[in-house]
Amino acid sequence: MEIITQKDTNIIAAPLKKSLSPWAIARKKFLKNKLAMISLIFLMFVAIISFLAPYITTADVTRINIGEMSLEPSSKHWLGTDKGGHDVFTRLLYGGRISLLVGMSCTLFVIFLGTLIGSISGYFGGTVDSLLMRFTDFILNFPFLVFVIVLNTIFFGKVSGLWVLIGTISILSWGGIARIVRSKILAEKENEYITAAISIGCSPAKIIVKHLLPNILSTIIVQATITFATMIVAETGLSFLGFGVPQEIPSWGNMLSSANEPDVLQFKLWIWVPPALIITITILSINFIGEGLKDAFNPKSRR
């Protein structure tokens, strides 16, 4: 006759611990990453004050004021004024709206196009895969700067140039995301649950949307974060060179472009240091967030 001891009773009576889902584990690890959390708070703060610029400052961001050109920081102008008499703090806020809008819009388009092309290519394979990947290679090797310059010349001085810039950057930047998504789909579709879904008659669209993409979503999120930083750098660089956001629209890149003179660079630091600092810190924050997400979704990470 088997004897049940008190120890066995305690083991039987002890409630089983509920295991955390991968998303819950990733969220817990990300919240513990202090650098990533500080970066996220900073980025949210910059985004909020930028999009609330009309309620924070009443200064005119476009009107040229000859009597207040290149003034040093004071109680009236916290960060001074630029060569056109514009308040630097005001242009910094309004410039953040444009730079973040361009970066976010381009990121959404790039992730959508890259995920769509990569998913179709990886799932169907064969001829479809070959055609889409050759098209992707063409996009990756396309002369990006030349195309932007040509379009900027055509739409020079037009407000629509901002959306042309967003469309151009997006159309020429999705190739890397498509390749990453394709490789993940190729590996994921070999699992048994995909074979089971096919055997019961699920359509390719349903399998991709409901079964494959949710399992590679962590990779897409990390790539979206990295792409966001890249798009802001692209807008800033193109605007600095004069081929980005139209000059009449304030952006961080345009602020740096207007300060590209020896006199300003040496003796009027308040004109170019604020936009340079905010761009640098914003890009670093996004990269730290991306590293935090990559760490959080990595099952081998001990954080």
Side-chain angles (χ1 to χ4, degrees):
M1 183 177 179
E2 187 177 357
I3 300 174
I4 299 176
T5 63
Q6 183 65 32
K7 182 178 180 181
D8 296 330
T9 306
N10 293 337
I11 294 173
I12 296 172
L16 294 174
K17 285 188 178 181
K18 185 179 179 180
S19 60
L20 295 174
S21 67
W23 285 94
I25 295 172
R27 183 175 65 251
K28 187 176 180 181
K29 288 162 67 176
F30 182 77
L31 292 174
K32 288 182 178 180
N33 191 324
K34 294 181 180 179
L35 188 57
M37 288 303 300
I38 293 172
S39 300
L40 180 61
I41 293 171
F42 173 79
L43 185 62
M44 291 177 63
F45 173 75
V46 170
I48 290 171
I49 65 171
S50 294
F51 285 97
L52 293 179
Y55 304 98
I56 296 175
T57 177
T58 57
D60 194 337
V61 74
T62 57
R63 186 172 65 89
I64 296 176
N65 191 340
I66 299 177
E68 296 187 345
M69 295 172 62
S70 303
L71 295 180
E72 296 184 2
S74 62
S75 58
K76 183 179 179 181
H77 302 286
W78 295 349
L79 298 178
T81 61
D82 61 12
K83 297 182 301 179
H86 305 118
D87 183 74
V88 173
F89 177 70
T90 302
R91 284 181 66 84
L92 202 64
L93 295 183
Y94 279 89
R97 298 176 75 183
I98 299 301
S99 294
L100 293 175
L101 174 64
V102 171
M104 183 58 70
S105 300
C106 290
T107 300
L108 292 176
F109 282 125
V110 166
I111 294 300
F112 174 76
L113 290 173
T115 302
L116 179 65
I117 300 297
S119 299
I120 295 173
S121 178
Y123 180 80
F124 289 101
T127 304
V128 174
D129 183 30
S130 297
L131 290 174
L132 290 177
M133 284 302 100
R134 297 300 74 75
F135 179 61
T136 302
D137 291 338
F138 170 75
I139 293 295
L140 289 172
N141 293 316
F142 199 85
F144 173 80
L145 187 58
V146 174
F147 196 55
V148 171
I149 293 173
V150 170
L151 288 179
N152 182 78
T153 304
I154 296 172
F155 293 93
F156 180 76
K158 299 180 181 179
V159 178
S160 60
L162 175 62
W163 297 106
V164 171
L165 176 68
I166 292 173
T168 304
I169 294 176
S170 303
I171 291 173
L172 299 178
S173 303
W174 55 265
I177 303 297
R179 284 191 169 278
I180 293 172
V181 171
R182 170 185 174 272
S183 65
K184 292 291 182 179
I185 292 290
L186 284 173
E188 196 68 28
K189 75 174 185 178
E190 300 299 327
N191 292 324
E192 294 181 357
Y193 72 92
I194 299 299
T195 305
I198 295 173
S199 65
I200 61 175
C202 289
S203 64
K206 186 174 182 180
I207 292 173
I208 292 173
V209 173
K210 290 192 174 183
H211 298 287
L212 289 173
L213 289 183
N215 286 288
I216 65 168
L217 190 59
S218 59
T219 300
I220 296 174
I221 291 174
V222 173
Q223 291 302 315
T225 309
I226 299 171
T227 303
F228 186 31
T230 305
M231 295 299 102
I232 293 178
V233 172
E235 180 277 320
T236 302
L238 290 170
S239 297
F240 178 77
L241 295 173
F243 303 118
V245 177
Q247 287 295 327
E248 66 270 17
I249 301 176
S251 74
W252 291 339
N254 281 340
M255 292 181 71
L256 290 178
S257 178
S258 62
N260 190 20
E261 293 181 4
D263 178 61
V264 174
L265 294 174
Q266 291 182 5
F267 305 110
K268 300 173 183 177
L269 303 181
W270 64 87
I271 296 179
W272 65 270
V273 168
L277 278 177
I278 197 68
I279 291 170
T280 302
I281 299 175
T282 300
I283 298 303
L284 285 175
S285 298
I286 297 173
N287 285 331
F288 287 142
I289 294 171
E291 289 297 322
L293 289 171
K294 188 186 297 184
D295 227 11
F297 286 117
N298 185 3
K300 297 180 180 179
S301 173
R302 297 183 179 180
R303 289 188 184 180

